[in-house]
Amino acid sequence: MAGFPTWSAPQQQDVSEFVQAIARGLDTCEHAGATRADFYRRFGNRLEDRIDCTHCNFVRDWKVEDTDTVLLRLKAWWPGCDVREAIKREYETENLDAEYRCDQCGHKGCSTRSWRFARLAPCLLISIDRTQFRAGMQVPQKRAGRVKLPDMLP
């Protein structure tokens, strides 16, 4: 179909690349009857994050990112986890590493990042990253693990 890319068999594309290709293709297909705006009304999410410094109490304003997929990284604690719990854990407040320097006071290692969904799409496209890098190994391994998917998210 004109406007849509072809995927070569030995390459691996993830859901995010595929969805972006569909959205771009909608712009070029005259007979599709749908637009990119229609696509993002159904699949578009708005994710916001902010950084707080516990040393000087500086709070960076919410940074906005529009995305069509929700990325979940498969972690050691995840085997058999429900997708709702995985989303909660993936986007909970995290301590930034010791190398992160506060924009206001310049202090290192005392900042946290908070996430929130300002808009959650009616249809979620969830990309599960199962890649695991282990010390001393040059090739990443793919983790096995099941994820429980409910029919509806509250």
Side-chain angles (χ1 to χ4, degrees):
M1 182 183 293
F4 289 95
T6 56
W7 305 103
S8 70
Q11 289 181 320
Q12 177 180 339
Q13 280 77 30
D14 64 15
V15 69
S16 181
E17 291 166 330
F18 183 68
V19 168
Q20 289 170 11
I22 291 172
R24 283 190 305 273
L26 287 174
D27 289 340
T28 59
C29 287
E30 299 118 23
H31 65 280
T35 65
R36 189 182 285 223
D38 295 329
F39 179 83
Y40 283 107
R41 263 193 294 282
R42 181 165 298 265
F43 298 104
N45 302 297
R46 175 159 286 163
L47 184 61
E48 299 177 333
D49 77 285
R50 78 173 197 192
I51 296 176
D52 296 83
C53 177
T54 57
H55 184 259
C56 71
N57 296 322
F58 173 73
V59 177
R60 186 193 73 192
D61 286 338
W62 289 99
K63 181 177 150 189
V64 177
E65 177 186 352
D66 290 326
T67 179
D68 46 38
T69 57
V70 175
L71 176 64
L72 301 177
R73 291 172 189 86
L74 191 63
K75 298 182 180 169
W77 49 261
W78 199 358
C81 185
D82 184 283
V83 73
R84 291 171 288 211
E85 182 66 21
I87 291 171
K88 179 181 169 189
R89 288 187 181 197
E90 181 70 30
Y91 295 101
E92 67 188 357
T93 299
E94 65 176 320
N95 292 319
L96 297 177
D97 66 19
E99 294 304 310
Y100 181 82
R101 185 182 301 270
C102 172
D103 294 339
Q104 184 73 23
C105 70
H107 203 78
K108 285 185 176 181
C110 60
S111 297
T112 60
R113 173 178 281 149
S114 302
W115 301 91
R116 70 179 181 192
F117 283 97
R119 180 185 188 281
L120 205 52
C123 296
L124 284 182
L125 298 172
I126 300 173
S127 177
I128 300 174
D129 180 1
R130 297 174 182 268
T131 307
Q132 177 183 17
F133 292 92
R134 293 189 182 197
M137 297 187 77
Q138 294 183 0
V139 178
Q141 289 184 323
K142 193 173 235 182
R143 297 187 84 146
R146 295 192 182 271
V147 180
K148 297 174 191 168
L149 297 170
D151 290 334
M152 297 280 285
L153 291 174

